[in-house]
Amino acid sequence: SEFIQYRFGFFDQHPDALRIIEWQYLEPDPFQLTAYTPETIQTIIKRIKYFQKQKQLSSKYNPELIFSLLLTIPLGFFRTFRDLTTN
């Protein structure tokens, strides 16, 4: 939950970061520009698997899918509902 709160807070405080990510998706290979190294991604996926084994996360879903959702849900929220977070 801290990871998700951090991502929501980050995009709320830094809307330009979302614009940069949006531009990244326009590149021919958008994943070559990712800020995450393969090692970082594997570490996060290992933690997801750990929490699944501890029954703190559902094992119903693939760890890679959960990782993808953790990354993209905040992006989608701020693309769609940006006006809800501004004063």
Side-chain angles (χ1 to χ4, degrees):
S1 93
E2 289 177 25
F3 180 74
I4 294 172
Q5 288 175 344
Y6 170 79
R7 287 188 59 82
F8 272 91
F10 178 82
F11 290 121
D12 189 36
Q13 296 297 314
H14 306 284
D16 289 336
L18 182 60
R19 288 186 197 96
I20 292 169
I21 292 169
E22 291 294 328
W23 276 102
Q24 176 179 330
Y25 287 119
L26 297 175
E27 293 293 325
D29 183 5
F31 299 102
Q32 76 181 9
L33 303 174
T34 184
Y36 295 98
T37 64
E39 294 81 17
T40 302
I41 293 170
Q42 286 306 313
T43 298
I44 294 171
I45 289 173
K46 284 180 186 176
R47 292 191 77 183
I48 291 170
K49 289 177 182 179
Y50 169 80
F51 287 117
Q52 286 178 321
K53 286 181 184 174
Q54 298 298 312
K55 306 241 185 267
Q56 294 178 329
L57 272 177
S58 173
S59 296
K60 181 178 179 179
Y61 302 104
N62 183 303
E64 289 79 6
L65 175 62
I66 293 172
F67 174 70
S68 177
L69 289 171
L70 290 173
L71 291 181
T72 59
I73 286 173
L75 297 174
F77 174 84
F78 282 98
R79 267 190 226 132
T80 308
F81 300 108
R82 180 70 196 147
D83 60 324
L84 295 178
T85 62
T86 57
N87 295 327

